[in-house]
Amino acid sequence: MPKISNKGVKMPQSPIRKLVPFAEDAKKRGVKVYHLNIGQPDIETPQVALDAVKNAAIHVLSYARSEGSEVYREKLVNYYKQHQINITANDIVVTTGGSEALLFTIGAITDYGDEIIIPEPFYANYNGFATANGVKVKPIISSIDNGFALPDITEFEKAITDKTKAIIICNPGNPTGYLYTKEEIQKLKEIVLKHDIFLIADEVYREFVYDGAVHYSVMQEEDLAQHAILIDSVSKRYSMCGARIGCVVSKNKALISTVIKYAQARLSPPTYALIASEAALETPQSYFTNVLDEYTDRRNILIESLQQIEGVKVSKPKGAFYCIAELPIKNSDHFAQWILEKFNDHKETVMVAPASGFYSTEGSGKNQVRIAYVLKKEDLVRSVEILKAALMVYKQEFS
């Protein structure tokens, strides 16, 4: 019988999606499932984007340009300028989602056996993207006790070898909600310049920052022109996860020309999604103001509710729409499956993402879960009530 590749065998399961069959079974039993496990916003997509697709007078659905249309990229230049990021259209390659942007970027800068350093916990698919490219992740653990702030820079120094090609950060962070400060970005700048490696910043949650904080991009550091790579996406910004449009942004011409070769090999991003994404750039500021107000309220309600459960530790996110909660349990993978399979409160239960899948260090995050506050406020309150009840039963059964 033919064998699967080693990298295929090592490809990690998604901690976000692997429990879907158990959630579906619960629904078949008549149990309502509150989905706290996945960052699928319930905020409506801007109407201007939906109308653009609906009204598109297309008679032949043809290929788009591999790097994205010049018109769209020029409009992106104007968008980034509003965020103090000064680039040209030639610094952008449009991709099929932020995931493809990361795959192309890692493929463009690494060879088999190279290494990438990532503060953990981190977006679970970074593990998958690295595995697909034959690259080793070297994690630098951060702590819930200080809100998952940037670990001491000396820890990065210790991890760097002649195989190190990049440091990846997610800013604001998925799954932690941490927002890196300008000073932290500058500390990373010093180390990547010293060792002549890349700094990749996944900034897809740029618009989601709270309490008057301001997002600071790696692209704002002029000294990083040849070292900074920005990963972006329309998915969360415009509640357009299904559009699958993202981009790679860098002033490093060799990097961009290499990413374009990857883009040409997959031919083009989807045409209708490009139409929607271009139109979405016309979304009025009032949309983002309302969305930010809504997520601020959701965050506050969720965190306050979680903090009232005995034994639960949670830090207040500064950005994105996730938090990591430490629960009074030993194995969140077991708990997350149990709460779907064996528990319900008045025919209702919750689905969470075990946090171990957001770590690369073996054994880390076993008592943590990631919670996405993408539900309306009353559903978040009810979800925490269910979680509290479930923890009481679970501790009695498995203490």
Side-chain angles (χ1 to χ4, degrees):
M1 181 176 176
K3 289 187 176 181
I4 301 299
S5 68
N6 286 331
K7 68 177 182 293
V9 171
K10 292 178 181 177
M11 193 72 175
Q13 270 191 313
S14 168
I16 306 165
R17 298 174 181 269
K18 68 181 182 181
L19 295 170
V20 168
F22 300 102
E24 294 304 315
D25 286 344
K27 293 172 186 176
K28 289 175 184 177
R29 297 193 305 271
V31 177
K32 179 177 180 178
V33 178
Y34 290 95
H35 285 270
L36 303 175
N37 63 302
I38 193 166
Q40 171 58 65
D42 64 349
I43 303 295
E44 290 191 1
T45 303
Q47 193 61 44
V48 65
L50 299 175
D51 288 344
V53 174
K54 181 180 179 181
N55 299 327
I58 294 178
H59 302 287
V60 177
L61 194 58
S62 58
Y63 290 120
R65 187 170 169 179
S66 293
E67 59 266 53
S69 72
E70 189 169 358
V71 172
Y72 179 48
R73 288 181 291 120
E74 287 289 357
K75 288 186 177 181
L76 281 176
V77 168
N78 291 330
Y79 161 78
Y80 285 118
K81 189 174 183 180
Q82 296 169 20
H83 294 273
Q84 291 74 54
I85 299 172
N86 296 311
I87 55 169
T88 70
N90 292 330
D91 299 326
I92 304 171
V93 180
V94 179
T95 57
T96 309
S99 296
E100 188 178 77
L102 278 159
L103 275 168
F104 285 179
T105 296
I106 294 173
I109 67 172
T110 64
D111 290 308
Y112 192 86
D114 282 339
E115 300 169 350
I116 291 178
I117 297 172
I118 316 178
E120 65 176 352
F122 52 75
Y123 176 47
N125 281 339
Y126 295 167
N127 268 326
F129 302 147
T131 301
N133 281 284
V135 172
K136 180 181 179 181
V137 170
K138 297 191 76 172
I140 308 292
I141 197 162
S142 61
S143 173
I144 193 172
D145 294 326
N146 63 359
F148 300 103
L150 185 74
D152 193 292
I153 209 70
T154 58
E155 296 302 312
F156 290 87
E157 285 277 8
K158 293 175 187 176
I160 291 176
T161 71
D162 58 359
K163 289 286 189 179
T164 304
K165 292 301 176 73
I167 296 171
I168 298 180
I169 60 170
C170 187
N171 187 33
N174 173 9
T176 65
Y178 186 74
L179 179 69
Y180 288 103
T181 64
K182 179 179 179 180
E183 290 71 27
E184 287 172 322
I185 297 296
Q186 290 175 336
K187 285 181 180 179
L188 289 170
K189 177 186 77 171
E190 291 174 10
I191 198 168
V192 299
L193 291 176
K194 176 182 176 181
H195 294 278
D196 199 22
I197 58 178
F198 288 101
L199 178 57
I200 304 170
D202 181 345
E203 298 183 1
V204 304
Y205 297 96
R206 180 182 301 105
E207 267 76 13
F208 302 92
V209 294
Y210 309 112
D211 305 324
V214 178
H215 179 265
Y216 189 78
S217 173
V218 297
M219 298 298 293
Q220 290 175 252
E221 286 290 329
E222 293 184 7
D223 294 347
L224 282 176
Q226 298 306 307
H227 297 76
I229 304 172
L230 169 63
I231 305 297
D232 214 343
S233 168
V234 304
S235 292
K236 315 299 180 177
R237 181 174 304 131
Y238 305 113
S239 197
M240 286 171 53
C241 295
R244 309 312 306 136
I245 293 293
C247 63
V248 178
V249 181
S250 180
K251 294 183 179 181
N252 185 309
K253 295 186 184 304
L255 180 279
I256 289 296
S257 65
T258 305
V259 170
I260 288 175
K261 288 190 285 186
Y262 279 84
Q264 290 170 341
R266 66 85 165 96
L267 303 184
S268 70
T271 300
Y272 271 120
L274 280 170
I275 291 170
S277 299
E278 182 180 328
L281 288 167
E282 305 301 322
T283 302
Q285 181 56 42
S286 58
Y287 173 89
F288 299 106
T289 301
N290 293 336
V291 168
L292 192 61
D293 288 344
E294 176 65 21
Y295 276 117
T296 300
D297 289 344
R298 291 180 180 188
R299 178 202 63 167
N300 293 343
I301 285 173
L302 174 68
I303 300 303
E304 288 167 9
S305 299
L306 286 171
Q307 288 174 336
Q308 292 172 16
I309 303 177
E310 184 179 355
V312 171
K313 181 188 290 186
V314 62
S315 61
K316 195 172 187 178
K318 298 179 181 180
F321 38 68
Y322 308 100
C323 72
I324 290 286
E326 194 169 281
L327 307 181
I329 57 175
K330 294 180 180 179
N331 189 322
S332 60
D333 285 271
H334 183 268
F335 174 76
Q337 182 174 328
W338 173 87
I339 200 173
L340 292 170
E341 275 193 308
K342 306 294 184 181
F343 179 85
N344 72 81
D345 184 62
H346 297 90
K347 284 291 187 177
E348 294 182 328
T349 193
V350 297
M351 188 175 182
V352 294
S356 59
F358 298 92
Y359 287 83
S360 187
T361 300
E362 186 68 29
S364 294
K366 295 295 288 183
N367 63 342
Q368 298 176 349
V369 295
R370 187 194 74 167
I371 295 175
Y373 44 96
V374 292
L375 305 180
K376 55 186 179 180
K377 292 185 281 289
E378 54 265 38
D379 287 348
L380 288 173
V381 171
R382 176 61 182 141
S383 296
V384 176
E385 288 176 354
I386 296 168
L387 182 64
K388 180 179 180 179
L391 284 169
M392 291 178 65
V393 175
Y394 187 81
K395 284 190 289 184
Q396 290 173 356
E397 289 191 16
F398 299 100
S399 59

